Amino acid sequence: MAEENNSKVEPGSQDTSRNVNQHKTSMQSHSWFMEMLLRRLRVIDANKGDKFAPILDAVGEFGTFQRRLVALTFIPNIISGFFLFVDQFVLEAQKPYCNTSWILAVGPNLSEAEQLNLTLPREPNGTFQTCRMYLPVSWDLDSIIQFGLSYTDTCQHGWIYPGARKRSLINEFDLVCGRELYKDTMHTMSVVGLLIGCFMFGLISDTEWLGGEHRAHGIILAHCFFDVGILFLTGLAYSIPHWRLLFLVGGLPVFPLIFYIWFLPESPRWLMMKGKVKEAKELLCYAAAVNKKTIPTSLLDELQLPRKKTTTASVLDFYSNRQLCMMTLVLSIVWFTSSYGYFTLQIMMKEIGVNIYLRQVVFGLMEVPARLCCIFLVEQVGRKWSLAVTLLQASLVYLVLMFIPAGELGTRLRGPCLATEPKSTMVLVIMLGQFSLAATATVFLIHTAELFPTVLRSTGLGLVTLSWVAGAMSSLTIIRHGPSILPFFLCLISAIMALGFSSLLPESGNQPLCDSLEHFPHLRNMSKEDVSDETSDDTSTDVS
């Protein structure tokens, strides 16, 4: 009987278990649906303060027109990745030896190894010295072999590079043995070029045509092609034997970008801020036609000039407007931290002996998933908390690097590390740091673009990018002239400071884009013309 009862209970228990599982699945699906609905409602509520939001919805949130714009940003990002890191290949460290071809006059049949063995002094560990040579003598070859040479001096007739298989700036201009200062000067000139470009042009960005989550997705996708540019550079540098040819092939895609002047449409937000209402409407109608949409006439009629006279914004507003100035300062601190840490880890990988082609390929492949992970972060926790998470992770990486034994790093990092093989522990930690900083840069670019007003967005991005360039220059200087632990210590301190200052920034996710400086009203220094306009408007209102 017991067995019969058990056999009767089992089907019921299976049905119950099945019903429970179905109920759980239904609840999870319902929870996911409610979460998506609430998120959509928050976006709709936030867009109420943005007069462009309903028009962009009518144009099409992410139609053919917007997809074309995002695709057009891929080429500039690829080229940016190429030129940002090309100096690492054309200035790649190569082992030089003094040119001692004088001995070939008495021993023309000597092999290269025999020539070096007779004419170069050795280090205590048995390797040839790179910057000294035995002085020439008037002996015959047998006497040189029998008695050997004794007197040494610095290289008298230039250098040779037996292991070099490519023509680089190093072996073409002999930037070795006390002439490394010129190499650092070239690095600095490269960074200064970035500095000037950032100041003059800011960053190329069409986020203003996209709204909400599509804006973040577009920026993240474009950033992934920056890493494609790094992989493109690595492949070219590996296959092209001359640095001039490398620049020529890699720089050719720059020239078609001139035609972007006609291909890239202006931002309708910016046109409205400049009082060009007719052009803004025509551009919006064109975008809608490409997306096979139609903008209701009532929405277009709402696009009118503001009641007050359009105010011209300039770079001086970053000084005169205290609130805007403080926000720019905080953004600059975080940009500096991200850049300084990123390039410090890049140089450190070079110093511990990782092959340049291997490390660039690994970084390029690793940073793509790091940036794609930002999609989940910015959607789930917002821009501000995403930035905090990535900065905290970077801080923990710096802390771990500080406790790696000194033998792993060398006492000072002023030249190539003497270790014969990379240290696996340090390589893995640095890769984790690069992953965190790549995510930080992507999240922060989204956050920065959304915080600045339309009238000053490109200018603001250009200004904060100056601090990014300053971070790159500082990393090169400090890592060459400081103790091995100092660069990591400064990385940790700057990351903690950036983490603290970033808490002062407002959340920009699911918020309407700011178009003018009217969002910073209480601290803005207004011109007399603006005040007189406001007074006349108020007077007319009172009379009526």
Side-chain angles (χ1 to χ4, degrees):
M1 291 296 294
E3 293 178 358
E4 292 179 1
N5 289 337
N6 290 337
S7 63
K8 293 179 180 178
V9 172
E10 287 177 0
S13 62
Q14 293 177 356
D15 292 339
T16 302
S17 176
R18 187 181 300 111
N19 292 335
V20 170
N21 291 334
Q22 292 176 353
H23 179 70
K24 288 182 179 179
T25 303
S26 176
M27 289 294 292
Q28 291 174 354
S29 176
H30 179 71
S31 175
W32 177 84
F33 174 77
M34 290 299 296
E35 182 180 351
M36 294 296 294
L37 180 61
L38 289 174
R39 186 184 306 166
R40 183 62 180 170
L41 290 175
R42 285 195 296 268
V43 173
I44 294 174
D45 183 65
N47 286 339
K48 290 180 180 179
D50 186 357
K51 62 184 178 183
F52 270 96
I55 297 178
L56 290 179
D57 285 340
V59 169
E61 290 186 352
F62 197 64
T64 303
F65 181 81
Q66 289 90 341
R67 288 196 292 268
R68 287 179 183 175
L69 289 183
V70 174
L72 285 174
T73 64
F74 293 165
I75 297 178
N77 275 279
I78 291 174
I79 296 176
S80 297
F82 175 90
F83 281 104
L84 190 60
F85 293 103
V86 68
D87 62 319
Q88 296 194 23
F89 291 95
V90 299
L91 292 172
E92 181 184 359
Q94 296 176 353
K95 193 149 188 157
Y97 297 106
C98 294
N99 182 7
T100 57
S101 57
W102 63 267
I103 198 173
L104 296 179
V106 295
N109 297 323
L110 289 174
S111 66
E112 186 178 73
E114 292 172 334
Q115 174 187 340
L116 297 179
N117 187 52
L118 292 173
T119 58
L120 295 181
R122 293 179 179 268
E123 299 285 356
N125 61 4
T127 60
F128 291 118
Q129 293 187 15
T130 58
C131 298
R132 298 191 70 83
M133 59 177 283
Y134 287 117
L135 291 176
V137 294
S138 57
W139 304 348
D140 57 47
L141 181 60
D142 292 334
S143 299
I144 293 175
I145 295 175
Q146 181 178 358
F147 299 104
L149 302 176
S150 301
Y151 298 101
T152 65
D153 199 352
T154 57
C155 300
Q156 304 292 317
H157 307 289
W159 293 264
I160 60 174
Y161 305 84
R165 62 183 186 89
K166 295 179 180 295
R167 192 67 171 172
S168 71
L169 287 169
I170 298 296
N171 55 37
E172 182 161 330
F173 297 99
D174 291 327
L175 305 180
V176 294
C177 297
R179 297 163 58 93
E180 290 85 358
L181 177 62
Y182 298 104
K183 176 181 175 182
D184 292 340
T185 301
M186 290 185 178
H187 276 295
T188 304
M189 290 176 61
S190 175
V191 177
V192 169
L194 292 173
L195 187 83
I196 296 173
C198 292
F199 181 76
M200 293 180 61
F201 305 109
L203 295 178
I204 298 176
S205 175
D206 297 287
T207 60
E208 293 177 3
W209 272 102
L210 304 175
E213 296 176 357
H214 294 294
R215 184 187 309 121
H217 295 171
I219 293 177
I220 292 171
L221 186 59
H223 241 201
C224 289
F225 278 83
F226 176 85
D227 300 303
V228 173
I230 297 177
L231 297 175
F232 171 68
L233 164 65
T234 306
L236 284 181
Y238 184 80
S239 57
I240 294 179
H242 201 292
W243 68 271
R244 285 191 175 90
L245 185 59
L246 176 63
F247 272 111
L248 179 63
V249 175
L252 282 177
V254 173
F255 295 100
L257 296 184
I258 298 174
F259 297 99
Y260 271 37
I261 299 174
W262 294 277
F263 291 155
L264 283 179
E266 189 53 80
S267 165
R269 293 179 181 272
W270 185 86
L271 291 173
M272 286 297 298
M273 291 297 101
K274 295 298 181 180
K276 301 178 181 181
V277 181
K278 182 179 179 181
E279 294 182 27
K281 290 182 178 181
E282 291 176 352
L283 196 54
L284 287 167
C285 290
Y286 170 74
V290 173
N291 291 339
K292 299 181 180 180
K293 302 281 186 178
T294 302
I295 304 177
T297 306
S298 58
L299 286 179
L300 286 176
D301 292 339
E302 293 180 2
L303 287 181
Q304 301 295 336
L305 284 175
R307 179 175 59 89
K308 292 187 292 185
K309 183 179 179 180
T310 304
T311 304
T312 302
S314 72
V315 70
L316 296 179
D317 287 298
F318 289 95
Y319 170 77
S320 60
N321 189 317
R322 184 179 176 185
Q323 184 178 359
L324 186 61
C325 179
M326 290 299 296
M327 185 180 74
T328 305
L329 179 61
V330 172
L331 293 172
S332 298
I333 291 173
V334 183
W335 274 92
F336 178 91
T337 298
S338 176
S339 173
Y340 173 73
Y342 184 88
F343 282 95
T344 296
L345 296 183
Q346 279 273 354
I347 298 173
M348 198 63 67
M349 285 285 279
K350 173 184 176 182
E351 299 296 343
I352 63 177
V354 179
N355 178 272
I356 184 173
Y357 301 100
L358 176 62
R359 68 173 183 263
Q360 291 301 115
V361 168
V362 170
F363 284 155
L365 294 176
M366 181 187 63
E367 289 178 7
V368 172
R371 302 189 197 283
L372 294 178
C373 287
C374 296
I375 296 177
F376 172 80
L377 278 177
V378 297
E379 288 182 356
Q380 298 298 322
V381 299
R383 278 62 163 166
K384 186 174 180 178
W385 280 105
S386 297
L387 182 61
V389 169
T390 55
L391 282 174
L392 179 60
Q393 186 175 358
S395 301
L396 294 176
V397 169
Y398 299 143
L399 186 62
V400 172
L401 286 172
M402 288 181 61
F403 286 95
I404 291 180
E408 294 274 329
L409 301 175
T411 55
R412 296 180 71 86
L413 290 170
R414 292 185 176 177
C417 184
L418 295 179
T420 58
E421 60 184 44
K423 305 301 187 292
S424 57
T425 303
M426 187 176 182
V427 169
L428 290 175
V429 176
I430 289 178
M431 288 176 60
L432 180 60
Q434 291 285 102
F435 185 95
S436 303
L437 290 174
T440 299
T442 300
V443 172
F444 198 56
L445 180 59
I446 298 171
H447 202 186
T448 304
E450 292 176 343
L451 288 178
F452 281 121
T454 300
V455 290
L456 290 173
R457 184 165 292 120
S458 294
T459 306
L461 285 169
L463 285 176
V464 297
T465 308
L466 296 181
S467 62
W468 183 87
V469 176
M473 296 176 68
S474 301
S475 66
L476 181 63
T477 303
I478 293 174
I479 207 168
R480 294 297 185 194
H481 299 90
S484 58
I485 197 173
L486 180 61
F488 294 140
F489 178 74
L490 294 179
C491 284
L492 177 61
I493 295 300
S494 62
I496 293 174
M497 289 180 59
L499 184 60
F501 279 109
S502 65
S503 64
L504 303 176
L505 297 173
E507 172 59 56
S508 62
N510 295 332
Q511 298 296 322
L513 286 178
C514 172
D515 287 329
S516 67
L517 290 174
E518 294 177 357
H519 291 75
F520 308 91
H522 56 287
L523 293 174
R524 185 183 177 193
N525 295 334
M526 301 180 66
S527 64
K528 294 181 179 180
E529 185 180 2
D530 292 334
V531 175
S532 62
D533 288 343
E534 285 190 354
T535 305
S536 61
D537 290 339
D538 293 340
T539 304
S540 62
T541 303
D542 293 338
V543 172
S544 63

